[in-house]
Amino acid sequence: MKRLLALACVLLCTTASASELLTGVRSRLADPPILRGQFEQKKTVAGFKKPLLSRGEFLLSRGKGLLWDTRAPFASTLTLTRKSLSAEQKTGGAAYHLDASREPALASMNEFLFALLSGDVGSLSTRFRVEGELVGADGWRLTLTPTDAGLARVFRGIRLEGDRFVRQVQLEETSGDSSLIQFTQLAQIPPPSATETERLGK
């Protein structure tokens, strides 16, 4: 009986701690209508010594989508909305478009990416076991372990760090590859341009 009570206490304490963590992260994160900035991504591929480095800029628009524009080493654009994914390689003209109505898994993946970049811990906690800590007056760190079978086939774990915004994302893949994405020059202005609005409307 004592063991059962002790186990129940541990479980209740763990749940409370996780709940407090999520509440604490939510209270520190801003939720702007738009967020734009610069990114640098280092991808380490199993079997290769030197990581692949790319840089560019992004625009995350709440409820509409994500524009991810790589500037170096090669120019390309990626547009994610609730309904579709479009990509274009500027050199060579290669392009493709996927529609969520024809690719049911696409909508789910897009939702996951939006939640990851915006730090939507409520949504992430439905697919991951969330652990972490609050850091200082406004910082936080999270470790996500997938509980969703589909995501578990792709990721061993994900780590997020930030304050009012997500500042760093580290992805550990089951293949042995990993990616470290850092965000800088984050701003809530200017609003989307006509070209950006057109892309998000697709």
Side-chain angles (χ1 to χ4, degrees):
M1 184 65 177
K2 288 182 179 180
R3 289 182 180 178
L4 289 174
L5 288 173
L7 178 59
C9 181
V10 169
L11 292 174
L12 287 173
C13 289
T14 301
T15 302
S17 177
S19 176
E20 289 172 4
L21 174 65
L22 296 181
T23 300
V25 173
R26 282 195 195 99
S27 70
R28 296 182 177 203
L29 276 165
D31 185 25
I34 71 156
L35 181 66
R36 58 171 76 243
Q38 307 291 316
F39 71 84
E40 179 179 275
Q41 179 173 352
K42 292 180 182 178
K43 184 173 180 66
T44 302
V45 179
F48 290 83
K49 292 183 179 180
K50 198 171 182 179
L52 306 174
L53 180 64
S54 60
R55 296 186 180 91
E57 56 195 38
F58 75 95
L59 168 66
L60 182 64
S61 178
R62 186 203 306 153
K64 293 185 179 179
L66 169 70
L67 305 182
W68 189 267
D69 297 340
T70 302
R71 303 303 183 196
F74 306 106
S76 65
T77 63
L78 177 69
T79 302
L80 286 172
T81 71
R82 304 290 176 184
K83 299 178 180 179
S84 66
L85 178 153
S86 300
E88 181 180 358
Q89 192 79 35
K90 294 300 184 180
T91 54
Y96 64 88
H97 178 83
L98 298 176
D99 194 309
S101 64
R102 298 181 180 179
E103 302 284 345
L106 180 61
S108 179
M109 182 57 69
N110 285 2
E111 289 288 345
F112 158 65
L113 291 173
F114 297 151
L116 195 63
L117 295 176
S118 63
D120 184 350
V121 290
S123 178
L124 291 171
S125 65
T126 65
R127 301 183 179 193
F128 295 87
R129 184 176 75 251
V130 181
E131 300 170 296
E133 61 182 342
L134 302 178
V135 182
D138 58 3
W140 49 268
R141 298 190 190 102
L142 295 178
T143 298
L144 310 178
T145 304
T147 55
D148 176 271
L151 290 172
R153 285 193 289 270
V154 180
F155 299 110
R156 287 192 292 112
I158 298 173
R159 288 191 286 274
L160 303 178
E161 293 185 20
D163 39 50
R164 293 183 63 241
F165 308 110
V166 176
R167 301 285 180 176
Q168 180 173 294
V169 177
Q170 186 165 1
L171 308 168
E172 300 290 342
E173 301 177 30
T174 55
S175 65
D177 296 351
S178 65
S179 296
L180 177 64
I181 308 170
Q182 295 177 305
F183 302 104
T184 58
Q185 300 183 42
L186 301 178
Q188 301 176 49
I189 55 174
S193 65
T195 300
E196 290 170 332
T197 299
E198 182 181 2
R199 286 175 63 187
L200 290 168
K202 292 181 179 179

